[in-house]
């Protein structure tokens, strides 16, 4: 997998924060200062971006973060992004903890004859106040997931594996979050606090955006998919380069990547889908 996320921001992150906050205050159409109102909006947007269904954080986490909100205005003025790292590392911790809850609950049988309700509108939900409340929320959510996946036969082993895999992939994705990913999430939360249509793109996201706009980069003509611990080929595109070459097949795992016949192959075992796509994609 990629390098583990550091415990605190990089010096470069501070430099980016200086540029972004300066531009937002001086150039944004709203002419809104970077004040307490914006800081609180940014914090709420960041929490919503991380945990939209309010399933992972508990109420004591959020209470703690809201106390930090009083410092956020000063920290943003000083271009200090430590709060983003504090909150995100707590989120990673909660995701790992709840991944065990999810696997335990999905390994058991659910009673689909109970008359129960679940709110899919997150504005109607509250963060769990204790372990028992959190587990009950997850039990209802997983029942909903099983029904949404296969309403006719929610309790089949295949359906349970499918839902389990979805959460395992999410846990893996959160574990592979890079400093650029976190910077993008936090600064986009800040930017959208000025208006919903303003955001920040990290260098990898900006590169992907430019590629889509220019349409002068291409891949090999294969659809890829993320699995637990590896990336595989989902299907070969008819007429594409991989189809013409004829060696790659659906379900093949991507274990190394190189250019031409002379370049040394680079081991990509454990890398994320995005990292592998970036290595494969290039000029025609």
């Amino acid at each position: 997998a990629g390098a583990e996320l550091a415990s605190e921001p990089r010096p470069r992150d501070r430099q980016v924060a200086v540029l972004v906050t300066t531009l937002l205050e001086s150039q944004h159409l709203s002419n809104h200062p970077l004040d307490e109102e914006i800081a609180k909006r940014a914090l709420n947007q960041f929490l919503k971006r991380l945990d939209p269904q309010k399933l992972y954080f508990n109420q004591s986490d959020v209470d703690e973060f809201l106390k930090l909100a009083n410092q956020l205005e000063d920290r943003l003025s000083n271009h200090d992004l430590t709060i983003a790292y504090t909150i995100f590392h707590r989120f990673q911790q909660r995701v790992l903890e709840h991944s065990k809850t999810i696997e335990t609950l999905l390994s058991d049988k659910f009673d689909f004859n109970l008359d129960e309700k679940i709110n899919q509108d997150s504005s109607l939900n509250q963060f769990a106040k204790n372990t028992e409340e959190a587990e009950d929320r997850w039990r209802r959510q997983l029942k909903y997931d099983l029904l949404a996946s296969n309403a006719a036969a929610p309790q089949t082993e295949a359906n349970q594996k499918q839902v389990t895999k979805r959460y395992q992939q999410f846990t893996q994705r959160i574990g592979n979050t890079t400093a650029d990913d976190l910077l993008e999430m936090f600064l986009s939360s800040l930017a959208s606090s000025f208006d919903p249509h303003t955001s920040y793109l990290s260098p990898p996201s900006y590169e992907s955006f430019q590629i889509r706009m220019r349409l002068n980069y291409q891949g090999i003509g294969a659809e890829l998919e993320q699995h637990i611990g590896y990336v595989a080929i989902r299907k070969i595109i008819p007429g594409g380069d991989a189809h013409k070459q004829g060696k790659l097949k659906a379900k093949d795992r991507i274990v190394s990547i190189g250019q031409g016949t002379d370049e040394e192959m680079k081991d990509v075992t454990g890398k994320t889908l995005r990292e592998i796509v970036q290595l494969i994609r290039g000029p025609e």
Side-chain angles (χ1 to χ4, degrees):
E4 186 177 343
L5 186 68
S7 60
E8 57 185 29
R10 306 164 295 182
R12 176 181 170 278
D13 295 337
R14 182 184 178 86
Q15 295 166 359
V16 173
V18 169
L19 292 170
V20 171
T21 53
T22 300
L23 283 170
L24 285 170
E25 285 199 285
S26 63
Q27 302 294 323
H28 197 274
L29 290 172
S30 67
N31 290 319
H32 203 299
L34 188 56
D35 57 10
E36 183 181 359
E37 179 186 352
I38 288 293
K40 286 186 175 178
R41 280 191 212 165
L43 182 67
N44 286 322
Q45 287 285 349
F46 187 50
L47 293 176
K48 188 174 182 180
R49 197 177 290 260
L50 292 175
D51 190 9
Q53 290 298 112
K54 302 177 182 174
L55 284 166
Y56 288 97
F57 287 128
N58 55 48
Q59 188 60 53
S60 62
D61 289 329
V62 176
D63 291 342
E64 183 181 335
F65 300 151
L66 291 177
K67 289 178 183 176
L68 294 176
N70 298 326
Q71 311 166 20
L72 187 56
E73 180 187 355
D74 291 336
R75 292 202 178 193
L76 286 174
S77 298
N78 291 320
H79 314 108
D80 179 1
L81 302 177
T82 307
I83 286 178
Y85 275 70
T86 299
I87 293 173
F88 188 76
H89 279 297
R90 181 71 57 81
F91 184 62
Q92 285 184 314
Q93 178 187 339
R94 295 292 178 244
V95 168
L96 279 174
E97 290 170 356
H98 287 301
S99 68
K100 296 171 185 174
T101 302
I102 291 165
E103 288 186 19
T104 300
L105 288 169
L106 282 172
S107 66
D108 204 353
K109 294 293 183 182
F110 293 94
D111 185 354
F112 288 94
N113 294 314
L114 292 175
D115 184 10
E116 294 185 311
K117 295 181 181 179
I118 182 171
N119 291 323
Q120 288 301 290
D121 180 353
S122 61
S123 66
L124 302 175
N125 292 332
Q126 302 295 323
F127 290 99
K129 294 181 177 62
N130 51 52
T131 304
E132 292 75 19
E133 192 174 317
E135 186 167 319
D136 186 62
R137 285 277 306 282
W138 272 110
R139 182 182 59 78
R140 292 169 189 251
Q141 180 63 44
L142 293 171
K143 284 179 70 175
Y144 176 87
D145 291 334
L146 289 167
L147 286 167
S149 177
N150 187 344
Q155 286 288 135
T156 62
E157 184 179 351
N159 197 39
Q160 285 178 309
K161 282 184 177 179
Q162 183 174 337
V163 173
T164 300
K165 182 179 178 181
R166 190 187 314 157
Y167 282 104
Q168 287 175 334
Q169 288 175 335
F170 176 74
T171 301
Q172 183 186 40
R173 191 165 72 249
I174 295 303
N176 287 332
T177 298
T178 66
D180 280 334
D181 294 332
L182 179 51
L183 187 64
E184 180 174 305
M185 283 189 284
F186 187 73
L187 290 182
S188 285
S189 299
L190 174 63
S192 65
S193 299
F194 283 79
D195 89 280
H197 307 291
T198 303
S199 60
Y200 164 81
L201 297 179
S202 66
S205 296
Y206 179 69
E207 181 188 359
S208 296
F209 174 75
Q210 291 288 80
I211 289 169
R212 289 197 301 272
M213 296 302 290
R214 291 194 304 259
L215 298 178
N216 64 352
Y217 268 46
Q218 67 179 41
I220 56 173
E223 283 188 16
L224 311 181
E225 60 184 358
Q226 181 80 58
H227 293 265
I228 307 301
Y230 68 94
V231 171
I233 294 175
R234 181 172 176 269
K235 72 175 182 178
I236 302 297
I237 309 300
D241 290 339
H243 180 255
K244 293 174 184 176
Q245 195 243 13
K247 290 187 178 180
L248 294 176
K249 302 287 186 251
K251 297 186 179 180
D252 281 350
R253 294 189 183 194
I254 300 177
V255 295
S256 59
I257 295 172
Q259 175 65 34
T261 55
D262 299 325
E263 182 179 308
E264 183 180 351
M265 300 293 283
K266 180 179 180 181
D267 181 13
V268 294
T269 307
K271 287 193 175 294
T272 64
L273 177 61
R274 186 174 72 177
E275 290 172 317
I276 286 178
V277 166
Q278 287 175 334
L279 289 170
I280 293 175
R281 187 174 53 194
E284 183 177 357

